[in-house]
Amino acid sequence: MSINSVPTTDQLPVVVIGAGPVGLAAAARVIERGLQPLVLEAGPSAGTAVRDWAHVRLFSPWSEVTDPAAEKLLAPTGWVRPDGAAYPTGGDWAEQYLQPLADVLGDKVRYNATVTGVARAGRDRIVDSGRDEQPLTVHIRTADGREERITARAVIDASGTWSTPGPLGANGLSALGEKAAADRISYRVPDLNDPAVRARYAGKRTAVVGSGASAFTALAHLADLAREEDGTHAVWILRRGITGSTFGGGETDQLPARGALGLRAKAAVEEGHASAVTGFRTQTVERDSDRLVLVAEDGRRLDPVDEIIVLTGFRPDLSFLSEIRLGLDERLQAPTALAPLIDPNVHSCGTVYPHGVTELSHPERDVYLVGMKSYGRAPTFLALTGYEQVRSITAAIAGDREAAERVELTLPETGVCGGAGLYDDPEAAQDSEGGGCCAAPATLQIGIGAPVSSGGC
């Protein structure tokens, strides 16, 4: 599309990158505001990333993973939200909600359209003159290799972080030998219902690296496999020590399914199906015949393993935004104003404060990172947060500042008293154990004032 063929910026579409939960919710909110969305999805269907973990069950129920504006679009089709108290798998979420929503949006969703660049029309990153008066341009590559340029009034990047998992190396880079051992390393929770995947881990010794919900899930699944297949064992590798909060909030977690997941991981260790190695910061992966040996920065060497599952979080892909002026925190790679509110080095007990268009704005006008991508490397994102983000942002794009700044949201307590940074410090981890702010669940009322907590946070 040529920018000369478009009379005014107001008549251009709001381009949404990614047809996942938050991207599709953004499109629904754009329509609710009387504007036109265009969703660009790199994959062949809605929720491509979600489908990659179709076998994993969410720890949020249906009532918390659908967006109100999206439900209004779906209602005329006869769609009825599944039981609000039930917990969908990723596959359920994609098939029963995301794809029907994308189908309702029709030609407002383009599949197999990979965004390769976003820029201000006729202005590279350096140029100031006339910048804000120019529309945005989005460059895409289609499945057959063709390149196109789309002109937009605003860009909402909801592309997530799934495509860029964290590496094995403790310094944030790939460990030496990690890439050479790629045939034995996975960065996803294994689907042990798949016969080929099951055969890969059955009767094998597998290292699981990570300390979050994904690692809990992998440990629980491997423990189930160990009960059926002799010789199956998981080696759980942690960069910190084990404390009272290692396994999450347990029975005090206001997301019960997440608390139960941590308890299953704990049972895997206690029953001997998994053994924990603490304070281990991986530096090198070495070959030992047909097996792999992990070597730590302090020189420690683990017994050989057959497979490695790396679940060390995700990070945003910013490569196609190189010509956009983003304001990002130097640590989290989250918007500068949002980062202090979600920084896992600082916050405990899931303290999430009000945030909307103000915290999500960048020096480049009308460009927003939302959903998982807005949190950068912080691990505490929930779908509810993303839905509220796009409600606020679309109100701002439509010129309704009052609605944009009225952010109201109640989030469940995480049940975890610190983030990855704190947990890397053994003394800090010990200080948070027992009698701390996770002794009782809390509710954070976003947009109303300071957090209201029954646990004394």
Side-chain angles (χ1 to χ4, degrees):
M1 179 187 297
S2 168
I3 63 172
N4 294 325
S5 66
V6 181
T8 66
T9 299
D10 288 347
Q11 295 174 321
L12 297 173
V14 175
V15 169
V16 179
I17 305 174
V22 178
L24 292 175
R29 292 291 183 177
V30 169
I31 290 173
E32 186 177 57
R33 286 287 172 176
L35 307 176
Q36 290 298 314
L38 176 61
V39 182
L40 302 175
E41 167 58 45
S45 60
T48 299
V50 174
R51 293 172 191 272
D52 275 355
W53 48 271
H55 57 292
V56 177
R57 192 167 299 280
L58 280 72
F59 45 65
S60 296
W62 272 112
S63 62
E64 296 179 3
V65 297
T66 58
D67 174 74
E71 290 193 21
K72 289 179 184 177
L73 285 182
L74 285 163
T77 71
W79 182 88
V80 177
R81 186 182 67 193
D83 179 4
Y87 293 85
T89 63
D92 296 334
W93 204 13
E95 292 296 336
Q96 298 178 41
Y97 170 64
L98 299 179
Q99 193 61 57
L101 177 55
D103 292 344
V104 168
L105 291 168
D107 61 5
K108 295 178 177 63
V109 180
R110 288 188 60 181
Y111 300 113
N112 299 307
T114 300
V115 174
T116 58
V118 180
R120 189 65 67 177
R123 306 290 189 275
D124 65 20
R125 185 188 185 106
I126 299 174
V127 178
D128 290 333
S129 177
R131 189 175 193 87
D132 284 349
E133 289 70 45
Q134 296 300 312
L136 293 156
T137 58
V138 181
H139 290 231
I140 67 171
R141 183 180 63 251
T142 62
D144 59 5
R146 289 184 298 109
E147 293 181 305
E148 297 181 28
R149 186 182 68 181
I150 298 168
T151 311
R153 67 177 291 166
V155 173
I156 300 175
D157 183 355
S159 59
T161 57
W162 183 251
S163 64
T164 47
L168 176 59
N171 63 355
L173 302 176
S174 296
L176 300 179
E178 179 175 350
K179 294 178 180 178
D183 60 321
R184 295 296 185 87
I185 300 177
S186 171
Y187 300 86
R188 308 287 187 242
V189 174
D191 180 4
L192 298 180
N193 292 318
D194 182 324
V197 176
R198 184 183 179 91
R200 178 174 178 175
Y201 298 101
K204 304 290 181 61
R205 181 178 171 86
T206 300
V208 177
V209 185
S211 59
S214 294
F216 292 168
T217 303
L219 290 169
H221 288 183
L222 289 171
D224 290 342
L225 182 62
R227 295 182 184 100
E228 301 173 8
E229 298 283 351
D230 291 341
T232 303
H233 188 78
V235 181
W236 187 21
I237 299 175
L238 297 134
R239 295 171 183 170
R240 56 180 173 87
I242 292 181
T243 71
S245 60
T246 295
F247 299 98
E251 295 177 358
T252 69
D253 197 320
Q254 283 200 357
L255 292 177
R258 179 172 54 193
L261 186 60
L263 294 176
R264 286 185 65 194
K266 184 178 182 180
V269 174
E270 292 176 344
E271 294 171 12
H273 300 305
S275 53
V277 178
T278 60
F280 192 95
R281 299 169 184 269
T282 307
Q283 178 174 272
T284 307
V285 182
E286 296 181 355
R287 290 274 185 179
D288 180 4
S289 185
D290 198 34
R291 308 182 85 192
L292 301 175
V293 174
L294 297 182
V295 183
E297 292 177 346
D298 61 7
R300 276 190 295 164
R301 302 171 64 88
L302 297 186
D303 291 337
V305 297
D306 301 288
E307 299 284 344
I308 302 173
I309 300 174
V310 180
L311 300 168
T312 55
F314 297 87
R315 52 190 62 178
D317 177 8
L318 303 169
S319 61
F320 59 86
L321 300 174
S322 62
E323 293 306 314
I324 291 296
R325 297 175 177 180
L326 298 177
L328 298 176
D329 178 75
E330 66 273 12
R331 291 169 299 167
L332 295 185
Q333 295 179 297
T336 305
L338 176 61
L341 311 183
I342 60 174
D343 188 349
N345 286 294
V346 177
H347 288 280
S348 63
C349 280
T351 46
V352 180
Y353 294 95
H355 73 277
V357 68
T358 300
E359 291 78 13
L360 295 169
S361 294
H362 294 274
E364 196 77 68
R365 185 171 57 84
D366 293 328
V367 175
Y368 304 96
L369 310 185
V370 300
M372 283 287 293
K373 193 162 188 175
S374 72
Y375 270 44
R377 299 192 184 197
T380 52
F381 180 79
L382 294 174
L384 283 173
T385 305
Y387 296 155
E388 182 60 17
Q389 287 178 342
V390 296
R391 185 207 62 77
S392 174
I393 285 170
T394 53
I397 293 172
D400 188 348
R401 293 298 304 187
E402 189 277 330
E405 294 171 3
R406 188 184 65 246
V407 181
E408 298 179 2
L409 177 63
T410 299
L411 291 176
E413 173 57 68
T414 65
V416 179
C417 278
L422 280 178
Y423 284 157
D424 276 353
D425 181 347
E427 292 183 5
Q430 291 292 339
D431 288 344
S432 70
E433 182 179 5
C437 61
C438 290
T443 298
L444 306 183
Q445 299 186 18
I446 304 305
I448 300 174
V452 178
S453 168
S454 59
C457 292

